[in-house]
Amino acid sequence: MRNSIFTLALIFLTSFCYTQQEILVSNTTEYKEAIKNATAGSTIILKNGVWTDVSLDAYGNGTEAQPITVKAEKAGEVILAGNSSIKIYGTYIIVEGLWFKDGNPTKKSIVQFRKNSKEFANNCRFTHNTISYYNPEDTSINSHWVDIWGKNNRVDHNNFTGKTNDGTTLVVWLKGEEHVENNHQIDHNFFGKRPDLGKNGGETIRIGTSANSMKSSQTLVENNTFQNCDGEIEIISNKSADNIFRNNLFIESQGTLTLRHGNNALVENNVFIGNNVKRTGGIRIINEGHIVRNNLLIGLRGDGFRGAIVIMNGVPNSPLNRYNQVKNVNVQNNTIINCGPIAFGAGKDEERTLPPINSIFANNLVTNTDGSEVLEIIDNISGIKFFKNILDSSASADANVFQKQTVDWKLLQSIPMPTANNPSLISNYKDSSSPEKDIVGYPRKELVVGAFNLGNKRFPKALIIRTGPYWKPIIEEPEVVIKEKEIKVAPGTDTFAKALKKATAKTTMVLSDGIYYINKTQKIKGDVTVRGTAKTIIKANDDLPKPLNYFFRVQENATLRLENLVIDGDNDTKVKYAVVSPDKELGETYNLFVDNCTFQNFTNTNGGSIYKAYIGTLADTISIKNSIFKDSYRGLNLSYEKNNFAKYNANTILIHNTVFDNIDEFAINYVKTGPLVNDSPAKLVVTNSVFSNVNNSEKGNIIRLKSIPTVIIKNSVFENSYKIKTAVSLNGKDNRIENSLINLCGKVKVNSGAKSANLIYRSPKWEDKNLFIPSKKSPLLKTNNDIDDIGLIQPKS
């Protein structure tokens, strides 16, 4: 009887203690009191409902056996809205079941594993939460959704979908010894749609920074899903040492897992599925000591920096923020199916001159069904040793890299698997980095080429793991209403740059009369119109600490409209370009529209021009009308596509009612190497324009063209370049020039079916040769040539 009473008392006491440690709170006042008094084992429950503009601190000193937990009354039904955020710090704190949505956050972090620069989180956890479309109205605000500090923290089973503003989704920080060798774990999360940011800073995960990239992080990223993570070229940006990326699934994400800085990363058992979506990529390798093995890559259509496997060139004596040479890298047993080309020595240029060295590329299996290019060798590959790499394709490839072999395949649902009937795939190459198991986790009794054992009938773990919270958020993408913003800008130094930071998705910047000094390069994203008065001058100051490379860079998916401006390249260091394309190998389209602008004094002869398109970039439309290009070294330069499978740098270039006057070299250089592709959209249309004193040399061309399928030149003047033998050379059945005047600048050549008609080789007879106004007797007038007016469209009297 006494034992029964004792047992009942013990049960009652235990139940009482448990209920005392669970506290339901319904507002921030109650929450602050509860968390202040929380001890090991306490659970603070947030009442269901919408918590708006709350700043919660989840802190204390729990233990591994008895953590302090902050959680939703019912997972997914506690909504943190408005400008809400949470800080996690102390030891063994768990935050669970919350949903951040319907927000307008302005803070640097939504979730931060620290209180301040001195108090951090250790052994804490953010689990089974969701952050969806939780973005500031001002998209230029740079913020992160999760910042991890301290050591031994875990971010798992969360859903992160729809980040649209500047800044990385999740960052691991190593600033300070308290964060080095942190052993953080990022696992079983679903990373959903991240639209293209149009510039750097749109990573989904970044581990470290360039400044701390030589520090050891020892962060584990495994069993996550990345779907439609298109924020920028680096889906994951590894910027520290000794990290592991394992069993992750990448679906239709337009970028790469990038080993950007830091050494000794392990990348294994990941699956990349592109579904033939353009710009989807695989793994990009920089720095040293990395192992990349047992990965499956299918249907990735990216090329260049977005290739399936990309090994970069390095910079001599590279600073931490550039490109260290690839050394001692081992790439083994990967299977690559119907992907864009593998690249060795990618990025080679005047700066990145160091090819990979002391590296291994072995036991990799590559196949495609369309015979498309599988390999790009951009620089010397003698520093890479190749062993038993098999290519099953009609494509040609370097015999030093691949052995061509027909492979017997069988579908495992939709995934091709090498059958057991492939004795030729058995390899005798093995080293200390060779995988002991295949991608599905089965021991490799014999080492075979590719990620799978022969006759495999199981799926990789990345395809069968469950990611995201145990409760399934129903996430609806908010309707995007683009509101046009008008910003008035006063003349002065850097006034334009400061105003541009306030630009939204669609912005018109209104500039008054005066001089606007732009002393730093300006990157344009969204749809931006810069509108002046025709007495608005944009230029750079003298005595800048660093020469200005360009005024404007038009980012991917962006449109820049320049109206009624004078853009002047004259300063003591000579601005190199007025406008440039996105950076190299960023092939999403952009647009440039110019109306009633004057570009002058761009005289930098070190490769300078008024406009430059970088290799691997693509303008949808470049439209220039009613404008003047004068007193400069070069005009429009779209000439950097130099390999045999090069693409065009623009779909359409339109030049109308525009003057190119006193240009040292070409007015337009629109070329690519390789064959002419007649079904390409590449088109140049020039109408009612004047080219005077352009590229006045014996071998000069006023307009340089190569492999451009459609060229139309009409009602235009080429004059006063008396040394030139051939002003324009046209090739192809859809190239034509008609009703144009050529005087003192050689001839027009037409070849391979190109056409010319009604060309006039006579003096234009100017009334005003500076303004290019014809006299009444000029053959440029329709009344005198019986066809149409030639040259600039004159205002009606």
Side-chain angles (χ1 to χ4, degrees), residues 434-694:
S434 298
E436 297 296 327
K437 297 180 179 180
D438 75 348
I439 189 173
V440 305
Y442 269 37
R444 289 184 177 269
K445 295 179 181 179
E446 54 187 5
L447 190 59
V448 299
V449 172
F452 297 92
N453 285 330
L454 297 181
N456 172 68
K457 296 181 180 179
R458 293 178 176 268
F459 290 105
K461 186 176 181 180
L463 292 175
I464 57 178
I465 54 174
R466 178 175 175 176
T467 57
Y470 67 83
W471 56 279
K472 290 299 178 184
I474 300 174
I475 298 173
E476 297 180 358
E477 183 173 353
E479 182 180 354
V480 178
V481 179
I482 299 177
K483 297 180 181 179
E484 185 166 359
K485 184 176 184 179
E486 183 176 286
I487 302 174
K488 294 184 178 180
V489 190
T493 298
D494 289 333
T495 55
F496 179 89
K498 292 175 182 176
L500 185 61
K501 292 179 180 179
K502 301 176 183 177
T504 58
K506 188 172 180 63
T507 302
T508 297
M509 306 185 70
V510 180
L511 282 58
S512 56
D513 291 357
I515 301 177
Y516 292 75
Y517 290 98
I518 296 180
N519 293 331
K520 292 183 179 180
T521 57
Q522 302 299 302
K523 296 180 179 179
I524 304 297
K525 65 173 185 173
D527 188 330
V528 175
T529 299
V530 183
R531 180 175 297 146
T533 66
K535 294 182 180 180
T536 302
I537 300 172
I538 291 175
K539 63 181 305 182
N541 274 307
D542 292 331
D543 300 319
L544 296 179
K546 182 180 178 181
L548 198 63
N549 199 42
Y550 57 82
F551 285 121
F552 303 109
R553 162 159 274 157
V554 192
Q555 303 284 48
E556 293 180 292
N557 297 308
T559 296
L560 174 62
R561 307 171 196 273
L562 302 174
E563 301 175 4
N564 310 324
L565 304 167
V566 176
I567 303 179
D568 194 332
D570 187 30
N571 75 334
D572 59 350
T573 54
K574 308 298 181 186
V575 179
K576 203 167 186 179
Y577 313 107
V579 182
V580 299
S581 74
D583 203 358
K584 301 174 184 178
E585 305 297 349
L586 298 178
E588 195 71 12
T589 59
Y590 64 98
N591 295 288
L592 173 65
F593 296 93
V594 176
D595 187 8
N596 194 33
C597 291
T598 297
F599 297 85
Q600 62 189 26
N601 302 321
F602 286 87
T603 57
N604 189 317
T605 57
N606 184 26
S609 58
I610 292 172
Y611 165 82
K612 176 182 177 178
Y614 285 88
I615 187 170
T617 62
L618 180 64
D620 184 65
T621 302
I622 296 173
S623 172
I624 298 168
K625 61 183 182 180
N626 311 318
S627 295
I628 299 171
F629 293 68
K630 68 177 184 177
D631 303 330
S632 295
Y633 178 53
R634 292 171 170 170
L636 312 180
N637 195 358
L638 302 92
S639 67
Y640 289 87
E641 300 297 342
K642 297 185 181 300
N643 67 58
N644 288 333
F645 295 90
K647 301 175 182 178
Y648 302 90
N649 281 131
N651 287 335
T652 303
I653 302 176
L654 306 174
I655 310 293
H656 176 68
N657 201 44
T658 289
V659 172
F660 292 82
D661 183 23
N662 193 28
I663 308 296
D664 291 349
E665 292 197 356
F666 50 79
I668 303 167
N669 194 2
Y670 186 25
V671 306
K672 81 171 189 71
T673 57
L676 173 66
V677 181
N678 284 319
D679 61 354
S680 165
K683 176 190 292 187
L684 170 66
V685 179
V686 179
T687 54
N688 292 97
S689 295
V690 174
F691 301 83
S692 181
N693 189 22
V694 175

Side-chain angles (χ1 to χ4, degrees), residues 334-346:
N334 302 286
T335 294
I336 302 171
I337 301 172
N338 287 335
C339 290
I342 297 165
F344 298 132

Side-chain angles (χ1 to χ4, degrees), residues 29 61 75 125 168 189 213 243 250 290 322 415 501 521 525 571 605 648 665 688 766:
T29 301
N61 291 296
R125 187 177 179 192
T168 307
N189 301 288
S213 57
N243 299 311
F250 298 81
H290 306 306
R322 294 304 294 148
I415 302 176
K501 292 179 180 179
T521 57
K525 65 173 185 173
N571 75 334
T605 57
Y648 302 90
E665 292 197 356
N688 292 97
W766 301 116

Side-chain angles (χ1 to χ4, degrees), residues 388 419-427 454:
K388 194 67 174 184
T419 69
N421 186 31
N422 282 290
S424 62
L425 294 185
I426 297 173
S427 175
L454 297 181

Side-chain angles (χ1 to χ4, degrees), residues 271-531:
V271 176
F272 298 77
I273 298 177
N275 288 330
N276 294 318
V277 172
K278 63 182 180 179
R279 301 180 357 124
T280 50
I283 303 161
R284 188 160 65 110
I285 302 168
I286 308 153
N287 279 65
E288 52 188 277
H290 306 306
I291 298 171
V292 177
R293 66 189 183 195
N294 271 357
N295 299 285
L296 172 63
L297 306 97
I298 304 177
L300 305 173
R301 303 319 301 169
D303 55 13
F305 286 10
R306 284 181 165 87
I309 302 286
V310 180
I311 301 180
M312 295 285 293
N313 258 26
V315 175
N317 302 311
S318 177
L320 288 174
N321 66 342
R322 294 304 294 148
Y323 291 81
N324 282 336
Q325 187 177 22
V326 172
K327 301 178 183 178
N328 305 315
V329 163
N330 199 305
V331 180
Q332 283 197 56
N333 288 94
N334 302 286
T335 294
I336 302 171
I337 301 172
N338 287 335
C339 290
I342 297 165
F344 298 132
K348 177 187 177 182
D349 57 16
E350 62 277 4
E351 180 196 25
R352 291 179 291 228
T353 59
L354 300 179
I357 59 173
N358 299 328
S359 294
I360 301 292
F361 189 83
N363 296 332
N364 298 289
L365 176 58
V366 178
T367 185
N368 65 28
T369 55
D370 61 2
S372 60
E373 182 184 14
V374 298
L375 180 63
E376 290 182 339
I377 299 175
I378 300 98
D379 204 350
N380 185 349
I381 60 172
S382 62
I384 306 175
K385 293 181 179 179
F386 299 95
F387 302 99
K388 194 67 174 184
N389 299 290
I390 299 297
L391 172 62
D392 179 14
S393 170
S394 61
S396 61
D398 192 314
N400 294 315
V401 179
F402 287 110
Q403 303 172 34
K404 295 199 70 173
Q405 179 72 46
T406 300
V407 175
D408 185 38
W409 301 90
K410 185 175 182 179
L411 290 179
L412 178 61
Q413 291 191 17
S414 60
I415 302 176
M417 295 288 171
T419 69
N421 186 31
N422 282 290
S424 62
L425 294 185
I426 297 173
S427 175
N428 60 4
Y429 179 79
K430 189 174 184 179
D431 60 29
S432 60
S433 299
S434 298
E436 297 296 327
K437 297 180 179 180
D438 75 348
I439 189 173
V440 305
Y442 269 37
R444 289 184 177 269
K445 295 179 181 179
E446 54 187 5
L447 190 59
V448 299
V449 172
F452 297 92
N453 285 330
L454 297 181
N456 172 68
K457 296 181 180 179
R458 293 178 176 268
F459 290 105
K461 186 176 181 180
L463 292 175
I464 57 178
I465 54 174
R466 178 175 175 176
T467 57
Y470 67 83
W471 56 279
K472 290 299 178 184
I474 300 174
I475 298 173
E476 297 180 358
E477 183 173 353
E479 182 180 354
V480 178
V481 179
I482 299 177
K483 297 180 181 179
E484 185 166 359
K485 184 176 184 179
E486 183 176 286
I487 302 174
K488 294 184 178 180
V489 190
T493 298
D494 289 333
T495 55
F496 179 89
K498 292 175 182 176
L500 185 61
K501 292 179 180 179
K502 301 176 183 177
T504 58
K506 188 172 180 63
T507 302
T508 297
M509 306 185 70
V510 180
L511 282 58
S512 56
D513 291 357
I515 301 177
Y516 292 75
Y517 290 98
I518 296 180
N519 293 331
K520 292 183 179 180
T521 57
Q522 302 299 302
K523 296 180 179 179
I524 304 297
K525 65 173 185 173
D527 188 330
V528 175
T529 299
V530 183
R531 180 175 297 146

